[in-house]
Amino acid sequence: MDLDPLQLLLDQFGTGGEAESSWLKEIFSFVTRHILPLLSGPAPPAADDLLTGGRVCPHQLSVCVVEKIQENMCVTHTLPVSYRPVSVSELISSQHLACVSNLSWSTNQQRAWAKEAELSLPGHRALPRVNLLLIGCLREGRGGEWRLMDTSGSVRCECVSPSPLWMNQPVFIPHWNYIPHNAPWQHQDKVHGYVELIGSPVLLCPGPEQGLAAGLGGGAELSRAVGVREAAGLLHNRTGAQRVSVCGQVSSVCPLLAVAGTTFFIFSLTDGSHSVSVLVKDSSRLWWAQCVCVGQSVCVSALRVCVLRGWRGNNILCVTDQSEIHTNYTHTLGNNTHTDSQVNTPPPLMMSHVDNDDDCEEAEPEKVHVRSAVKVKQSRVISYQGMVTEVVNEGAGLYVIDGKVGLCLAYQPTLRRKLRAGDSVQLHHVHFLYRPCPDFPPSMLCTCLRSSLRVTAFSRVEGSAPDSRCPGDGVLPRLLLEKNMGVSEYLWTCHLSSQLTHSLVPSVLKQQCVCELSWRLMEFVRTREERRRRDIYSEMLDEPHTCPLTQYSADPAVHQSISVSELLQCLQSDCWSSVSLDSLLPPGGSSLSSSQINTALAWSCRTLTSDLQDDPQPGDSLRRRPLLVVGVLELPSQTSEQTLQLRDSTGAVACVVTETTEEDEGGQRAAFNTAWIGCLVCVQQFTMVTERFIQSDFPSHQHLDEDKYITHKHCRVYLQFSLDRLHILSPSVAMVTHLQQKGEGSGGDTAGRKRRRDEEEPNSSHSDSPSVTMTTDPVGRGSRPCVSLVIRVEHTEGVAWRNTGAGLNEGETGLMLCFSVRAALIGPVVSWGRDPKNRPMSNRETETVKEDKVVLVFSGVSARWFPLLQPGSFYRLIAVNTQDPSVLIGCGVSGRSGVELHTDSTLQVRPDWRFHTLTRPLLLLTYRQVFLPTVLSVSQVLDCRCELVCFQALVCDRVGLSDSGDTCTGVRLTVCDQSGRSLQVYLDLSHTPYPIGLLPGNTLLLSDFQRRLSRTGSVYCSYLPVSSITVITVGDTSSCRPPPAPMMHLGVWAVSSEQRCIVGQISGHVVCFLFLQLQWSCSLCGSVYVQSCCSPQCHSTSSVFQSKAKLVIDDGTGEAHVWVSGALVRPLLGLADSQWEGLQRALRVRGHITVYPRGRSLVCASDDPLVHFLWCVCSSESVCRQLSLTCRKQTNHRSGEMKRFSRGDRDFMTRMTRPLQLTCLHLHMD
């Protein structure tokens, strides 16, 4: 009579209670339902007898399971009733959180394990524990996978070091992790979770010694196994039918590759002096890839010699369908007693840390040749082991090991199991690179197709959520494979992709476009060398080893991508930390009075170039490498700003923008093309400007280090660049049209524009296939009906705050930004079904007999078009969402009345109207003759008699006149032209937005300025409410050198009554000193400061030393009286610094001294030694010498003065011409 298997199980293990009985029943039911059918059914061909051994008894299998469970418990006197068996299907469907299960743990052991795991990786949580029992059969899956199977399904298994003897065996897994497919750190492309086997599974069938004999026919094949040396000899004498068994030590394991639908991998065996390679492409043997690891001794049977196509016809050992592999095997020769040489081969050297930077740099061999700052280096091949501490970019294959060593896996196929923080890894034949990219750790490890990566311990912590800035779709590795780029370029592109995702997604770009955008930007910024085609077989098998990682370039000055917000924050923080107030004062600042010091500090400027052409400045934390900024060009979003903006997802920065004119080759002008609005661009060459504004009340130079005297300070940050230096990454619709028109036109563009056209047109000529898709349309949708009007701008007034009342609700009052534009109407109002943007003009847009004028009035939001409306340019004005032509007809215009008007019609521009620049208008000859105001030079302004002038000038100096609150209300500009003649321009900014770009080195177009004469007769210009300022050329503001002043002859300069030259250079001989005054003055009231006090009314305790001299200079054509003051007096007298300081100390008691030498022949009548010293100095030959000076002419002198002369008994009265009066600005020392 057959006994009940369940009852036998209960009787054998006893009944410790109802709980244990129920648990035994559950185990029996699980084994019977999920495990037994796998063993009773057809088994894999290679393991029929091994697995089943005939009919399997449920009772025996259940008893085996319970006994194995008891053996792995921390206590053996009871059953683990808190644990329950779980099927594969239930695990996959119900377990949604990553977890760990360990049957042998006690509660205290589990807590200690979790604490240790969290301490090893701060910021991570240990995996939570579950009480589940995992039982099944290990089977082979697709593509070399190991899978745990029961009757409900299968799940992928990852093993640390699996044995071939586990395959097709029923197992119990006492310690395992489960990572579900929906874990927070798993990307959505993972369709299933997987199990991580920690340690070895417990086999539920007979011992492995049985499998060893069965696998090779009782060991017959093992006895005939040969060593690596004999196998290498067989490769040269190929016999197709011969099968050979080879044993040796694994020296390399290449990753699984899929080529042309065939999946394979290659590993190499060595005996220390010889090596052979084994090709595994049989689909039933791909699971060997997880069993083979470097340094392991193996024996492989039934190998045949074959030819590997594509590898120069070399022979290789290939696995057959009868082949078996045995790991940890020691081969002993039949006729000898010693073991094979492979046993004594030392394991490969394993590094667990990287030396310091200096040692790495010295030990790393380098190429002799260097391309500028780019070094071409040779990598080193090493082995390394460590723990993954950071997942930088899973999709790009970038990690950090041990917190300081970078790891790049992009040159290998994507890992089936992605690395997690906390994984312990072992790398063999990995390339060590030192500083391949400054955005990554200095020490980088990169794997090629010869490298092997093995996880030696699975992570014990939960993974963190993937960084949204790191695309995980594998686009970059695919581009790497297609384009065959170097590792330095790849790393820089990955970092750039992360930066752009942060700064552009989602408001500017879609996530999917970032990688391709980064790739295009890399190709534009970095010069790529031609690389030979990658040969995968040579990379895996050739000796010596060569691959794309063997040689790499290291460029420490590679561009650094920065977001707009980061740029603004760095510039604003460095604005004050990088400056010393003493450095803002002019030479001789210690002699300035309080008012002069505070005036000099009121405005200052700091400029930095993006390409590091200027020397690094103190406090410059931003520019360690050349910078580039990516963003969208837009009109100003705030009505208080009247400049173009560069915007990304993090912020916006104002920009001073110029571009090349269409007419003049190489000429510059202010930006006028609206097609740039909405373009995603890369700004690579630009100038960062920080203007500082300080309101202070410093009593003297000695108090500059005391911040309490600063009442208010702020700064303004913006960029300066030319549109010709931009690289278009994603053009607007209008820009696509513009580029197409340029391609059809003549070749009259500059070289830079030709290069940009050649690069952009292939990607921009088809609107349905851009490589980067914009998610916004800044100029509105083009499918709405509209009406248009073509105009030619003739004159533009400046922007000012006006109380117009337009656009305000009832009862509201306030100022609005307004300006007006006078334009010529080219044609009638035309209706469109959709916005024509900037496409070429049609014939119906020019159907007009008389050219009318119109005044366009901009106020409020519409005033943002001011930066792009330039005189002489043609625009198409679009009114959207209407088909009514009357909306574009100005007030007072009537085509039917026939009344002739003597004033231009007026048209109020609405906020939703658009302007499109027509750079190639199809106009009649009469329309090409544009009436524009004459643009003068500085010399012409000085000589003309016009009251209202428009002129172009180079800014050579700027002084802030007054500040109110945080707005600069007064500015004095000193401008000049190429002749060196200069002019002063006074700006009143109290009723206008603050204009940026008024910096020394920039060229300005100043329109509608009033030319005026001062009370002293000097010409200057002043700002009017209708005046406008436009930056037409961006110069090098950091090293601005204005043209030298013209050389003047004193005789000619003295009799010139015209304003031909105010500042000039003279060269002459010092005839004599007429006057020399040295004085200690109160820094507040300016009175003489004697010892420690000045006047009774002033209680100041600070004083400054002031000096002033007057001398006569003769250049052979005439004489001039030259006034010299401040810091120029000491070099004029030829005194050393120590002598000058001693002179100041000597004057402390008396406060001041005045000397009138008059001439060299006069004798000093004073007994004062100090007066006598100064008298001798002024009369010495070292002082009365040849000098070169830059002077300003004083124009307040009278034409002459009456003077009395006596001769004998008669007196004569005559008018004497007063000598030319000059003020010395600069002393040129030879």
Side-chain angles (χ1 to χ4, degrees):
M1 181 178 68
D2 294 336
L3 297 178
D4 184 9
L6 175 59
Q7 187 61 43
L8 291 175
L9 179 66
L10 295 175
D11 294 341
Q12 180 172 350
F13 290 95
T15 56
E18 185 66 25
E20 290 190 354
S21 299
S22 300
W23 185 84
L24 289 172
K25 292 178 183 179
E26 187 177 5
I27 291 294
F28 181 83
S29 174
F30 180 86
V31 170
T32 305
R33 181 183 307 173
H34 295 289
I35 306 301
L36 191 62
L38 293 177
L39 305 182
S40 302
D48 284 348
D49 297 332
L50 180 66
L51 280 179
T52 61
R55 184 174 179 272
V56 179
C57 175
H59 169 256
Q60 295 177 349
L61 186 58
S62 299
V63 169
C64 181
V65 168
V66 175
E67 289 178 345
K68 298 298 183 183
I69 290 175
Q70 285 183 318
E71 292 175 2
N72 287 274
M73 291 175 55
C74 58
V75 294
T76 58
H77 61 274
T78 183
L79 296 176
V81 295
S82 62
Y83 282 79
R84 68 177 184 88
V86 60
S87 65
V88 171
S89 62
E90 182 184 0
L91 180 69
I92 296 175
S93 61
S94 302
Q95 188 62 38
H96 302 301
L97 297 177
C99 59
V100 60
S101 177
N102 192 334
L103 183 62
S104 64
W105 275 345
S106 65
T107 302
N108 291 335
Q109 289 175 328
Q110 190 272 334
R111 290 174 179 172
W113 175 90
K115 183 177 181 180
E116 182 183 355
E118 293 175 353
L119 289 177
S120 64
L121 279 177
H124 292 75
R125 295 176 53 190
L127 291 173
R129 180 184 181 183
V130 294
N131 294 346
L132 298 175
L133 300 175
L134 204 54
I135 307 171
C137 289
L138 289 175
R139 294 287 172 86
E140 164 198 346
R142 291 186 303 176
E145 288 183 351
W146 285 62
R147 302 192 71 85
L148 181 69
M149 178 181 295
D150 62 14
T151 56
S152 68
S154 66
V155 62
R156 179 164 59 91
C157 283
E158 296 294 338
C159 308
V160 170
S161 183
S163 169
L165 303 176
W166 300 350
M167 183 58 68
N168 298 321
Q169 291 277 7
V171 295
F172 160 64
I173 305 175
H175 191 180
W176 50 273
N177 299 335
Y178 177 66
I179 310 300
H181 72 279
N182 59 349
W185 64 89
Q186 294 287 326
H187 290 287
Q188 297 304 316
D189 57 352
K190 309 294 187 301
V191 295
H192 296 294
Y194 59 90
V195 173
E196 296 174 344
L197 273 63
I198 303 174
S200 300
V202 179
L203 300 181
L204 301 179
C205 279
E209 66 281 357
Q210 197 175 359
L212 183 61
L216 291 175
E221 290 292 336
L222 288 178
S223 63
R224 294 193 295 269
V226 299
V228 175
R229 180 181 302 177
E230 293 82 357
L234 294 175
L235 292 178
H236 299 288
N237 303 315
R238 179 190 176 198
T239 55
Q242 183 178 3
R243 299 293 186 269
V244 61
S245 298
V246 181
C247 55
Q249 188 180 59
V250 179
S251 59
S252 67
V253 181
C254 301
L256 278 168
L257 294 178
V259 178
T262 301
T263 304
F264 65 94
F265 77 96
I266 297 175
F267 65 93
S268 298
L269 300 177
T270 183
D271 61 0
S273 59
H274 297 81
S275 64
V276 293
S277 298
V278 180
L279 172 65
V280 182
K281 67 174 183 178
D282 191 298
S283 60
S284 63
R285 301 295 189 273
L286 294 178
W287 55 270
W288 289 7
Q290 293 193 48
C291 301
V292 181
C293 59
V294 175
Q296 190 178 42
S297 297
V298 301
C299 182
V300 188
S301 64
L303 298 175
R304 65 183 178 89
V305 180
C306 61
V307 176
L308 181 61
R309 296 178 181 177
W311 186 42
R312 295 191 292 270
N314 290 342
N315 295 339
I316 192 172
L317 294 176
C318 186
V319 170
T320 63
D321 54 359
Q322 290 86 28
S323 298
E324 295 291 341
I325 187 170
H326 298 272
T327 58
N328 300 321
Y329 174 75
T330 301
H331 173 58
T332 304
L333 297 178
N335 299 327
N336 300 292
T337 58
H338 67 277
T339 58
D340 194 74
S341 60
Q342 60 161 339
V343 178
N344 297 323
T345 303
L349 179 63
M350 185 68 63
M351 298 177 61
S352 60
H353 69 279
V354 177
D355 299 333
N356 59 59
D357 294 354
D358 296 335
D359 294 340
C360 293
E361 184 70 16
E362 292 176 0
E364 185 180 37
E366 298 181 3
K367 279 285 185 180
V368 177
H369 61 280
V370 177
R371 303 189 310 269
S372 63
V374 181
K375 296 181 180 179
V376 179
K377 300 182 178 182
Q378 298 290 335
S379 64
R380 287 165 41 188
V381 176
I382 65 172
S383 296
Y384 189 90
Q385 63 182 3
M387 184 177 71
V388 177
T389 53
E390 180 184 354
V391 179
V392 179
N393 190 332
E394 182 181 282
L398 299 175
Y399 305 86
V400 175
I401 304 178
D402 297 333
K404 58 183 178 180
V405 180
L407 175 63
C408 176
L409 305 179
Y411 284 82
Q412 282 191 350
T414 304
L415 296 176
R416 182 164 39 227
R417 175 197 177 274
K418 300 300 177 68
L419 296 180
R420 306 197 335 259
D423 285 340
S424 295
V425 295
Q426 192 177 91
L427 296 155
H428 291 282
H429 205 281
V430 64
H431 292 263
F432 172 75
L433 289 71
Y434 186 72
R435 297 191 185 278
C437 180
D439 297 305
F440 286 85
S443 300
M444 287 293 299
L445 300 177
C446 299
T447 58
C448 66
L449 295 182
R450 187 76 171 270
S451 309
S452 63
L453 182 149
R454 186 169 71 94
V455 178
T456 58
F458 295 116
S459 174
R460 298 181 291 178
V461 299
E462 297 178 345
S464 57
D467 193 342
S468 59
R469 298 179 298 172
C470 302
D473 51 5
V475 174
L476 291 175
R478 287 198 297 270
L479 290 173
L480 171 65
L481 182 63
E482 295 172 3
K483 305 297 184 179
N484 190 26
M485 76 163 95
V487 62
S488 300
E489 290 82 359
Y490 177 76
L491 293 176
W492 187 80
T493 305
C494 292
H495 178 75
L496 181 64
S497 177
S498 174
Q499 294 291 105
L500 295 184
T501 303
H502 170 68
S503 62
L504 298 181
V505 175
S507 64
V508 179
L509 285 180
K510 297 179 180 178
Q511 176 75 45
Q512 295 80 1
C513 304
V514 174
C515 293
E516 295 183 6
L517 176 66
S518 303
W519 186 275
R520 291 179 55 193
L521 194 53
M522 184 275 298
E523 292 181 322
F524 168 72
V525 173
R526 304 195 63 169
T527 302
R528 295 187 58 202
E529 294 184 350
E530 290 295 331
R531 293 180 173 268
R532 65 179 184 177
R533 189 171 176 268
R534 191 176 182 185
D535 188 338
I536 61 173
Y537 298 113
S538 296
E539 187 174 330
M540 292 186 290
L541 301 172
D542 274 358
E543 292 293 346
H545 173 69
T546 58
C547 71
L549 297 172
T550 304
Q551 182 174 282
Y552 66 99
S553 62
D555 184 5
V558 66
H559 284 77
Q560 174 186 356
S561 175
I562 187 171
S563 66
V564 171
S565 63
E566 184 180 0
L567 177 69
L568 293 175
Q569 291 173 3
C570 291
L571 291 176
Q572 290 171 356
S573 62
D574 292 347
C575 170
W576 306 109
S577 62
S578 63
V579 66
S580 170
L581 295 184
D582 184 66
S583 65
L584 301 180
L585 300 179
S590 59
S591 64
L592 298 180
S593 63
S594 174
S595 60
Q596 291 173 325
I597 290 176
N598 295 319
T599 300
L601 297 178
W603 178 89
S604 61
C605 178
R606 178 175 184 253
T607 60
L608 302 171
T609 58
S610 62
D611 52 5
L612 300 182
Q613 289 184 355
D614 52 348
D615 295 332
Q617 301 182 13
D620 188 359
S621 62
L622 180 65
R623 296 177 316 150
R624 293 182 176 90
R625 291 150 45 196
L627 301 177
L628 62 86
V629 184
V630 176
V632 178
L633 282 177
E634 292 182 350
L635 292 172
S637 57
Q638 299 180 3
T639 56
S640 60
E641 296 182 358
Q642 297 305 308
T643 60
L644 292 180
Q645 290 183 339
L646 185 70
R647 177 179 294 276
D648 62 11
S649 296
T650 66
V653 59
C655 302
V656 176
V657 183
T658 63
E659 64 177 305
T660 302
T661 60
E662 297 289 341
E663 294 81 10
D664 300 331
E665 181 68 25
Q668 290 286 311
R669 62 175 296 182
F672 66 96
N673 194 349
T674 58
W676 287 97
I677 303 302
C679 289
L680 180 65
V681 298
C682 168
V683 191
Q684 185 180 358
Q685 296 183 13
F686 57 94
T687 301
M688 298 163 281
V689 182
T690 306
E691 294 187 24
R692 309 183 191 93
F693 303 91
I694 299 178
Q695 286 184 339
S696 60
D697 191 18
F698 288 104
S700 68
H701 177 269
Q702 290 82 4
H703 299 83
L704 289 179
D705 57 346
E706 301 180 31
D707 293 340
K708 65 180 181 180
Y709 294 105
I710 299 178
T711 58
H712 179 78
K713 66 179 181 180
H714 76 284
C715 64
R716 182 181 293 265
V717 177
Y718 56 92
L719 305 182
Q720 292 187 153
F721 55 84
S722 172
L723 293 176
D724 304 281
R725 300 293 186 178
L726 301 189
H727 179 66
I728 302 176
L729 299 175
S730 180
S732 63
V733 177
M735 180 55 70
V736 173
T737 304
H738 173 65
L739 294 176
Q740 290 175 346
Q741 294 176 11
K742 289 182 60 180
E744 298 170 357
S746 61
D749 295 326
T750 63
R753 284 178 172 250
K754 287 181 180 179
R755 174 176 56 81
R756 190 179 68 225
R757 178 193 64 194
D758 295 338
E759 293 174 352
E760 293 300 328
E761 283 186 353
N763 293 330
S764 303
S765 57
H766 301 286
S767 59
D768 58 346
S769 60
S771 60
V772 180
T773 305
M774 298 292 293
T775 60
T776 59
D777 185 5
V779 291
R781 302 180 181 272
S783 59
R784 295 178 291 180
C786 59
V787 291
S788 71
L789 182 67
V790 177
I791 62 174
R792 182 187 68 238
V793 174
E794 295 185 348
H795 180 264
T796 303
E797 290 186 355
V799 183
W801 296 97
R802 296 186 177 93
N803 192 3
T804 61
L808 298 177
N809 298 325
E810 184 177 356
E812 291 185 355
T813 60
L815 298 176
M816 297 183 64
L817 282 178
C818 302
F819 75 97
S820 62
V821 171
R822 187 177 70 249
L825 301 178
I826 304 303
V829 179
V830 178
S831 300
W832 303 85
R834 58 182 303 170
D835 189 349
K837 298 188 182 295
N838 61 334
R839 65 194 234 182
M841 291 179 60
S842 62
N843 292 331
R844 57 177 181 158
E845 289 183 285
T846 59
E847 295 174 356
T848 183
V849 179
K850 179 183 176 182
E851 180 178 331
D852 294 325
K853 307 290 183 180
V854 64
V855 175
L856 302 177
V857 179
F858 298 78
S859 60
V861 177
S862 63
R864 63 189 183 134
W865 289 101
F866 176 78
L868 292 175
L869 299 179
Q870 306 298 337
S873 299
F874 293 82
Y875 300 89
R876 178 182 282 125
L877 173 59
I878 303 293
V880 296
N881 292 329
T882 183
Q883 290 283 308
D884 183 10
S886 63
V887 299
L888 293 182
I889 298 178
C891 300
V893 176
S894 176
R896 294 173 295 180
S897 64
V899 178
E900 183 178 357
L901 301 177
H902 296 280
T903 58
D904 298 331
S905 60
T906 302
L907 182 62
Q908 181 72 39
V909 178
R910 299 179 184 177
D912 60 339
W913 289 4
R914 302 288 182 262
F915 288 83
H916 297 290
T917 305
L918 302 178
T919 57
R920 293 287 190 268
L922 304 177
L923 302 175
L924 301 177
L925 181 60
T926 55
Y927 293 131
R928 298 182 185 272
Q929 300 174 355
V930 182
F931 172 76
L932 295 176
T934 302
V935 179
L936 306 176
S937 65
V938 171
S939 298
Q940 292 173 324
V941 173
L942 291 173
D943 298 337
C944 73
R945 293 292 184 265
C946 301
E947 183 178 358
L948 208 61
V949 293
C950 174
F951 62 100
Q952 177 178 322
L954 174 70
V955 181
C956 53
D957 188 26
R958 166 176 170 157
V959 176
L961 298 181
S962 62
D963 286 340
S964 176
D966 57 357
T967 303
C968 182
T969 59
V971 174
R972 186 188 72 198
L973 299 177
T974 301
V975 298
C976 63
D977 57 13
Q978 294 301 320
S979 67
R981 302 180 66 183
S982 60
L983 173 71
Q984 291 187 338
V985 180
Y986 292 85
L987 308 179
D988 181 9
L989 305 179
S990 58
H991 299 291
T992 184
Y994 178 79
I996 61 177
L998 308 184
L999 307 178
N1002 288 352
T1003 302
L1004 308 179
L1005 177 64
L1006 301 103
S1007 302
D1008 296 335
F1009 273 72
Q1010 185 178 15
R1011 179 186 182 274
R1012 307 181 69 177
L1013 284 176
S1014 67
R1015 287 175 294 180
T1016 61
S1018 300
V1019 175
Y1020 69 96
C1021 290
S1022 61
Y1023 189 86
L1024 298 175
V1026 295
S1027 302
S1028 65
I1029 307 175
T1030 306
V1031 180
I1032 59 176
T1033 302
V1034 175
D1036 185 3
T1037 59
S1038 61
S1039 58
C1040 172
R1041 300 259 186 224
M1047 184 64 68
M1048 301 299 297
H1049 295 291
L1050 296 178
V1052 178
W1053 206 2
V1055 300
S1056 176
S1057 59
E1058 299 180 355
Q1059 297 291 335
R1060 296 190 55 83
C1061 188
I1062 301 298
V1063 178
Q1065 293 188 59
I1066 62 172
S1067 179
H1069 186 80
V1070 178
V1071 177
C1072 65
F1073 271 73
L1074 300 178
F1075 170 82
L1076 174 62
Q1077 177 179 305
L1078 306 177
Q1079 176 177 314
W1080 282 100
S1081 303
C1082 176
S1083 61
L1084 296 181
C1085 66
S1087 60
V1088 177
Y1089 195 92
V1090 179
Q1091 290 186 344
S1092 61
C1093 62
C1094 55
S1095 62
Q1097 293 79 13
C1098 179
H1099 302 285
S1100 172
T1101 59
S1102 59
S1103 60
V1104 295
F1105 185 76
Q1106 296 178 333
S1107 56
K1108 184 166 53 175
K1110 184 179 182 181
L1111 61 150
V1112 179
I1113 287 186
D1114 189 341
D1115 68 347
T1117 65
E1119 285 188 351
H1121 290 184
V1122 181
W1123 290 85
V1124 184
S1125 60
L1128 299 177
V1129 175
R1130 186 198 62 79
L1132 178 66
L1133 296 176
L1135 298 178
D1137 291 337
S1138 59
Q1139 294 174 315
W1140 190 249
E1141 293 174 0
L1143 194 59
Q1144 295 179 31
R1145 289 193 299 268
L1147 282 175
R1148 275 291 186 182
V1149 177
R1150 66 176 71 184
H1152 75 287
I1153 188 172
T1154 305
V1155 180
Y1156 300 92
R1158 293 292 180 179
R1160 296 177 60 184
S1161 61
L1162 298 181
V1163 179
C1164 179
S1166 175
D1167 295 332
D1168 189 341
L1170 188 57
V1171 174
H1172 186 73
F1173 170 76
L1174 294 176
W1175 191 291
C1176 294
V1177 169
C1178 294
S1179 304
S1180 65
E1181 294 183 356
S1182 61
V1183 174
C1184 298
R1185 64 190 187 275
Q1186 189 75 16
L1187 288 180
S1188 295
L1189 310 172
T1190 298
C1191 299
R1192 178 183 297 276
K1193 183 180 180 181
Q1194 297 181 7
T1195 55
N1196 61 341
H1197 64 277
R1198 298 181 298 272
S1199 59
E1201 60 181 3
M1202 300 300 295
K1203 193 168 184 180
R1204 181 186 300 271
F1205 292 91
S1206 298
R1207 288 295 182 266
D1209 57 348
R1210 295 190 179 186
D1211 291 339
F1212 299 90
M1213 295 290 295
T1214 184
R1215 183 177 296 277
M1216 300 292 294
T1217 302
R1218 192 183 183 196
L1220 176 64
Q1221 302 293 309
L1222 301 176
T1223 301
C1224 181
L1225 303 178
H1226 184 67
L1227 180 62
H1228 304 279
M1229 305 298 295
D1230 295 335

